[in-house]
Amino acid sequence: MIRAMVVDDDALVRLGLTDLLDGDEGIEVVAQATDGLHAVEQATAHHVDVALVDVRMPRMDGITATARLRALPHPPKVITLTTFDLDEYVYGALAAGADGFLLKDTDPAEILRAVHLVAAGSAMLHPAAARRLIDRYHHTNRPRAAQARNRIGLLTPRETDVLALLAEGATNADIALALGMRESTVKSHVSRILATLDVTNRVQAALLARDAGLNPLRSAAALPATPTTSRRCAAPTRNTRFR
């Protein structure tokens, strides 16, 4: 059972989302909050797996709340909600540790799917808005690009392949199919990628990949190298099905 929290200063939106989530047999709404500060208090008092957090709220906005929630001893996954698909605050929320964002007019079935995906460790970004938002508000500059390439250079070639697909929004199942490996192997790769890159979730890893200019058509060997870049030797695993 996924324990959820709904955070929105609009009572109608809050109640509507709560009714939607409670209608799913696999989700239980254990807390509601009217703003970011209230959300942190509620998440501290209740064990929350996934929090749906509005971006614009009084007292404490969704961006600050996301950072505070992710800093808790038992942090919930966070999905931010916004009215506009080109809202600069959403990128701030992703950078603060949110696992994704949805528009408030997203189909109810997709909202439920997002909660399940995020609870399972995946990310969920609105498909139409994600690329536009990131491209507009995550401008790459040379120092940041070089730093990103250095950090990605610590990955093995296969981990870099996984990261490139992850950055395009591929699920673990998609990556397994594309690279000819088991889904459990993909999960292991993703865990090592997050640890090596020192990021908290798939969204932040994807942003780092975009900074480095990484995409599925550019293999690890083609990634621009820097003098300080070094590669970690790949340790063979029993589940690996590639050379």
Side-chain angles (χ1 to χ4, degrees), residues 59-76:
R59 292 210 301 170
M60 181 186 290
D61 63 43
I63 298 173
T64 304
T66 295
R68 292 278 298 275
L69 289 170
R70 295 299 299 161
L72 292 175
H74 302 287

Side-chain angles (χ1 to χ4, degrees), residues 24 50 58 67 78 87 89 158-159 168 220:
D24 187 302
V50 179
V78 176
D87 189 338
Y89 293 117
R158 182 54 65 171
E159 288 168 354
E168 291 297 306

